[in-house]
Amino acid sequence: MHNKPKSKSFYVIVVKRFADIIIGLCALPFLALITLVVGLAIKLDDGGPVFYKAKRIGKDSKIFGMYKFRSMIVNAPNWTNPDGSTYNAADDDRVTKVGRFIRKTSIDELPQFFNVLIGNMTLIGPRASGAGALDSYQPDEVAKMDVKPGITGYTQAYHRNGLTVREKRLKDAWYANNVTFGLDVKIFFKTFATVLKREQVYTNAEGTSKENLYIDDKETASAEKK
C-alpha cells in the first residue's frame, strides 16, 4: 500500500486549516491597527488606494485575488525579467516612498491574513505565482499547486530572492510533497530571522538595464517581491 501524499494528510487538510483560522482571528486586531497606520501613510503619500488585489494561482491551479498593501504607483506597468520573475530593485521608480519601507519590512504582505481566513491561502505554503504563469509550469513543478499558497513558505524563508524561478518552483513542489508540522515550525521561525536580516530583498541589483525586460503597460504590476 502506498503512503498517503503529504498534501492529502490529516495535518494538511484539518490541522493547518484549524491553525490558520485561530491565528488569523488573533491577528485581526493587530492587522486593523497596522492598516490604520499604513493606510494613512499610503494616502498621504500619493492619495491612491490602500490595498492591491493581485491575480494569483492557488491550490489546484485555481485563480484567486491576493490582497497586499499597495507599494507601487497607481497603474504601474508590469515589468518581467527574462526568466519570468518579477522585476524588483532598490531603485525601482514604480515603488512609492511608503512602498519601499513596507516592502523591506514585509508589512505589505500582512493583508494576506484576509486570504487565510477566506480559505484560499494558508499561513505557511508555497509562494503564489502570478496568474499569467500557469501555462509555463513544467511537469515536475506542478505539485506546488497541490497545497494552498502561503504568506510565507520554504523558499521565502530560506532563500527569499536568491533563486531562479525554476529553482523556486522545484523547492515549492518538494515542500508540497513533504509538508509536516515540524517543517512548518522551522519555516515559521526562520521567516522572522530572514525578515529581520533583510537579506536578498531584491531580485535585481540597482542600475540593472531594462532593455531585456518584458514591459506590459496594459497589465498593472503585481508588486510581488519574494
Side-chain angles (χ1 to χ4, degrees):
M1 181 180 294
H2 295 291
N3 292 328
K4 184 181 296 184
K6 297 292 184 181
S7 59
K8 302 295 183 182
S9 68
F10 179 79
Y11 169 67
V12 173
I13 297 174
V14 179
V15 178
K16 277 178 73 76
R17 181 57 186 155
F18 179 77
D20 285 342
I21 293 173
I22 297 300
I23 295 174
L25 290 175
C26 291
L28 278 182
F30 301 98
L31 181 58
L33 179 60
I34 292 171
T35 298
L36 286 175
V37 176
V38 175
L40 179 60
I42 291 174
K43 283 294 184 181
L44 291 175
D45 191 7
D46 67 0
V50 173
F51 297 102
Y52 176 85
K53 188 177 181 181
K55 291 183 179 180
R56 292 288 186 265
I57 305 171
K59 185 178 183 298
D60 300 325
S61 301
K62 295 180 180 179
I63 306 301
F64 72 99
M66 185 180 78
Y67 295 101
K68 301 180 77 170
F69 286 124
R70 182 177 60 86
S71 60
M72 287 187 174
I73 59 175
V74 177
N75 295 324
N78 186 48
W79 296 354
T80 306
N81 291 308
D83 68 350
S85 62
T86 300
Y87 175 86
N88 172 40
D91 59 350
D92 189 341
D93 55 14
R94 298 172 301 166
V95 181
T96 65
K97 294 178 180 178
V98 173
R100 296 186 192 285
F101 173 74
I102 63 176
R103 280 183 164 214
K104 286 182 178 180
T105 55
S106 294
I107 289 174
D108 62 322
E109 309 282 354
L110 293 181
Q112 290 166 35
F113 274 103
F114 292 128
N115 291 106
V116 170
L117 288 173
I118 292 170
N120 47 31
M121 288 186 69
T122 182
L123 182 63
I124 299 172
R127 180 69 178 178
S129 297
L134 185 57
D135 294 335
S136 68
Y137 271 80
Q138 299 183 36
D140 56 353
E141 300 170 347
V142 295
K144 170 184 175 177
M145 277 82 80
D146 286 346
V147 296
K148 295 177 183 179
I151 296 178
T152 186
Y154 182 77
T155 57
Q156 301 98 297
Y158 285 92
H159 303 283
R160 208 162 190 179
N161 279 318
L163 300 175
T164 65
V165 170
R166 167 73 170 159
E167 289 170 334
K168 288 179 181 179
R169 291 178 180 181
L170 287 175
K171 289 187 180 296
D172 282 338
W174 174 86
Y175 168 83
N177 288 323
N178 294 277
V179 55
T180 61
F181 173 74
L183 178 58
D184 278 355
V185 169
K186 291 179 181 179
I187 292 171
F188 180 82
F189 287 107
K190 177 62 176 176
T191 297
F192 287 101
T194 299
V195 172
L196 290 174
K197 288 181 179 179
R198 299 185 184 180
E199 296 176 345
Q200 298 177 328
V201 175
Y202 302 104
T203 304
N204 302 84
E206 291 188 59
T208 299
S209 173
K210 299 181 179 63
E211 292 183 359
N212 296 321
L213 298 181
Y214 172 68
I215 302 176
D216 187 353
D217 291 317
K218 296 180 180 179
E219 181 180 353
T220 55
S222 66
E224 181 178 0
K225 69 184 190 315
K226 289 183 181 176

